[in-house]
Amino acid sequence: MRLRTLQSDTIKLIATLVVATGLSACGFQLRGAPPVSSALEPLELICQSPVPTSLCQSVREQLELGGVELATNQNANYRLRIRDFAQDRRASAITVQAAAAEYTLRQSVDLELVSADGIPIIASTRLTTTESYRYDETNVLAKQREEENLQQQLSDRLAQQIIFRLAPITEKRLQEIRSNHQSTDTPPDSQPAKP
């Protein structure tokens, strides 16, 4: 009986390894942030007040996990600015006693990516994420903890949105942006007036 169980476990393990290998070979990845192109390296991350440290740290961690080289001021080819953070909490459902039954949390932030020579790669863009939760005034402490956890989840989602915005920026796309920027900055040739 024990031998049969051992054989069954071995077969299950082999089947799992075969499926995992097959999925990785076809390019399957767990859901998460896409990779950021090495064309943006070295990248400086600038979080301007009042951006929370947790959001800035989450973006930094996702960049580092993606293998993006981060740099400081003079060594960076590109600057990622995160600023104008805002969050609010609003009652989205009311009980018959006119008390809040549900709250909606919202966080938003501005994102901008600029080259070291001042060319805007991603113009200032507002990113927003929201989440709702039921409120129970008989369990205030638990609901406060739930709200704190949701605020952290919202920060993590904003960080993912930032990474998603950076993902399509490849070397080819950067060259297109540079050539478009140069053609719009170059004044048209002045032609002599016809007599």
Side-chain angles (χ1 to χ4, degrees), residues 48-194:
Q48 297 175 341
S49 186
V51 173
T53 306
S54 60
L55 173 58
C56 196
Q57 187 60 35
S58 187
V59 172
R60 183 178 304 282
E61 286 171 2
Q62 290 192 37
L63 288 169
E64 288 172 348
L65 283 172
V68 175
E69 177 190 347
L70 296 175
T72 56
N73 195 358
Q74 291 135 357
N75 302 329
N77 290 336
Y78 297 93
R79 290 181 177 81
L80 174 61
R81 289 189 184 100
I82 303 171
R83 61 179 175 226
D84 295 331
F85 176 82
Q87 74 179 19
D88 62 29
R89 172 184 182 247
R90 295 183 183 178
S92 52
I94 306 294
T95 66
V96 291
Q97 291 85 18
E102 183 177 279
Y103 282 101
T104 298
L105 304 175
R106 182 176 140 188
Q107 288 186 1
S108 56
V109 72
D110 284 343
L111 154 80
E112 181 181 41
L113 180 65
V114 180
S115 68
D117 55 352
I119 298 174
I121 308 301
I122 298 176
S124 185
T125 305
R126 192 80 175 159
L127 303 176
T128 302
T129 186
T130 61
E131 185 68 56
S132 295
Y133 72 98
R134 293 198 173 277
Y135 186 74
D136 180 7
E137 49 187 39
T138 62
N139 201 355
V140 175
L141 290 176
K143 289 302 174 177
Q144 284 177 343
R145 282 193 297 273
E146 181 181 0
E147 182 177 333
E148 290 168 6
N149 288 336
L150 287 173
Q151 293 287 11
Q152 182 57 51
Q153 288 176 21
L154 291 176
S155 287
D156 292 342
R157 281 191 215 155
L158 278 177
Q160 276 192 326
Q161 285 185 37
I162 291 167
I163 300 301
F164 273 102
R165 293 296 174 122
L166 297 177
I169 308 296
T170 61
E171 187 64 46
K172 181 180 177 185
R173 182 70 186 123
L174 286 170
Q175 289 172 356
E176 291 171 1
I177 291 169
R178 283 189 175 283
S179 63
N180 287 342
H181 183 74
Q182 289 170 351
S183 66
T184 57
D185 279 357
T186 306
D189 294 335
S190 54
Q191 297 181 0
K194 293 183 181 179

Side-chain angles (χ1 to χ4, degrees), residues 5-54:
T5 304
L6 183 60
Q7 287 175 337
S8 174
D9 289 345
T10 304
I11 290 171
K12 287 179 185 175
L13 178 62
I14 291 171
T16 303
L17 289 174
V18 168
V19 169
T21 304
L23 286 174
S24 65
C26 74
F28 175 80
Q29 290 183 322
L30 291 175
R31 189 174 152 204
V36 174
S37 171
S38 61
L40 292 176
E41 295 178 329
L43 177 69
E44 180 181 17
L45 176 61
I46 304 167
C47 295
Q48 297 175 341
S49 186
V51 173
T53 306
S54 60

